């Protein structure tokens, strides 16, 4: 779970807005601030107020401040590439989702506009996708969708697909520690080998009760339970 900052550069707000595929006009309509004000804030001519930051969070999620995982090849989309990607998904073509892990901002961006037809493909691929990366990416998008049915599917896959579980758990280690991806994978295989476990544990405890992000909450709980031997020393 991320802690929202009280101040933030306007350029960061712009980057997060664009990553979600929203134009300045669309954002202004959603948060009921003027487009001219948003433009001044995003270009650094005005300072972002706490109210404005909270308005962006309301649309983009508090976890917009999450760090990306340390994987060297992440799929990051803008509005145009997101539209092309989702058009392929609706035809049953996952495109780069088959072999390229998604950045958190990509999962949020896809989840914010996914159609019912595309969501059905993601649910199908979460279970039947032909690569572990596709299944993992699908789980991460589904976790951003509302509804108990989607949350239950995420948990089902994590409990029954060891390859997806490994990638999701490694992603949580990587995101919270910024350790090298290979080290994060080793930690997913054996959580007792994660460096500085006492430093990581409080972050996992927060993530385990975060109401958003079913897959992250599950992964944090999973890690904590398996780190008990080293935390008790």
């Amino acid at each position: 779970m991320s802690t929202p900052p009280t101040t933030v550069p306007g350029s960061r707000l712009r980057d997060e807005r664009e990553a979600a595929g929203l134009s300045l006009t669309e954002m202004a309509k959603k948060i009921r601030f003027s487009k001219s004000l948003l433009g001044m804030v995003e270009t650094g001519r005005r300072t972002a107020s706490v109210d404005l930051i909270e308005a962006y969070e309301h649309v983009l999620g508090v976890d917009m401040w999450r760090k990306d995982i340390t994987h060297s090849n992440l799929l990051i989309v803008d509005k145009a590439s997101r539209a092309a990607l989702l058009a392929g998904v609706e035809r049953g073509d996952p495109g780069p989702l088959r072999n390229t892990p998604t950045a958190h901002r990509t999962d949020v961006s896809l989840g914010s506009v996914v159609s019912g037809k595309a969501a059905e493909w993601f649910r199908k691929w979460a279970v039947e996708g032909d690569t572990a990366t596709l299944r993992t990416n699908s789980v991460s998008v589904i976790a951003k969708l509302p509804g108990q049915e989607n949350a239950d599917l995420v948990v089902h896959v994590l409990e029954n697909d060891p390859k997806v579980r490994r990638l999701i758990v490694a992603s949580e280690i990587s995101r919270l520690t910024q350790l090298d991806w290979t080290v994060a994978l080793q930690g997913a295989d054996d959580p007792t080998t994660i460096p500085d476990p006492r430093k990581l544990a409080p972050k996992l405890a927060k993530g385990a009760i975060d109401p958003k992000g079913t897959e992250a909450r599950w992964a944090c709980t999973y890690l904590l339970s398996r780190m008990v031997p080293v935390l008790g020393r």
Side-chain angles (χ1 to χ4, degrees):
M1 182 168 60
S2 300
T3 301
T6 55
T7 60
V8 63
S11 59
R12 177 66 188 275
L13 295 176
R14 180 191 62 220
D15 291 345
E16 295 297 334
R17 170 182 61 76
E18 291 178 347
L22 293 171
S23 69
L24 199 62
T25 299
E26 290 168 333
M27 178 60 83
K29 289 180 179 178
K30 285 180 177 292
I31 66 177
R32 301 184 183 278
F33 281 81
S34 71
K35 179 181 176 181
S36 61
L37 173 61
L38 301 191
M40 287 189 287
V41 169
E42 290 191 0
T43 55
R45 289 174 289 164
R46 291 279 297 272
T47 300
S49 67
V50 173
D51 287 344
L52 183 60
I53 293 172
E54 289 178 348
Y56 269 70
E57 292 170 349
H58 181 72
V59 174
L60 303 175
V62 172
D63 57 356
M64 64 187 279
W65 312 114
R66 284 173 46 141
K67 293 180 179 178
D68 276 329
I69 65 173
T70 55
H71 195 286
S72 61
N73 183 30
L74 291 178
L75 177 62
I76 300 174
V77 297
D78 56 21
K79 190 172 184 179
S81 59
R82 181 185 68 179
L85 180 61
L86 286 176
V89 171
E90 290 188 353
R91 297 192 302 270
D93 177 11
L97 294 170
R98 176 174 278 114
N99 295 304
T100 308
T102 54
H104 172 70
R105 70 190 77 173
T106 299
D107 300 330
V108 173
S109 179
L110 293 174
S112 68
V113 297
V114 67
S115 66
K117 186 174 183 180
E120 283 303 315
W121 276 109
F122 282 124
R123 282 189 279 266
K124 179 179 176 65
W125 290 332
V127 178
E128 302 175 9
D130 58 1
T131 68
T133 299
L134 175 56
R135 298 195 300 277
T136 301
N137 288 339
S138 298
V139 163
S140 295
V141 173
I142 292 168
K144 308 300 180 291
L145 303 180
Q148 189 62 45
E149 180 182 1
N150 291 316
D152 289 345
L153 178 57
V154 169
V155 171
H156 171 78
V157 175
L158 288 171
E159 290 182 345
N160 292 280
D161 188 330
K163 291 183 178 180
V164 171
R165 179 168 59 245
R166 181 176 189 250
L167 292 176
I168 291 290
V169 171
S171 294
E172 202 61 23
I173 296 169
S174 172
R175 180 181 71 81
L176 292 173
T177 66
Q178 293 296 287
L179 290 167
D180 183 81
W181 179 245
T182 58
V183 178
L185 285 173
Q186 292 168 6
D189 293 333
D190 182 359
T192 65
T193 67
I194 300 172
D196 297 322
R198 291 183 181 277
K199 184 177 179 180
L200 176 59
K203 298 178 182 180
L204 293 174
K206 289 183 179 180
I209 59 173
D210 186 353
K212 294 184 178 181
T214 305
E215 90 281 24
R217 188 167 63 248
W218 191 96
C220 287
T221 303
Y222 175 92
L223 283 166
L224 274 175
S225 67
R226 283 156 179 78
M227 288 168 60
V228 169
V230 292
L231 292 175
R233 291 175 184 171

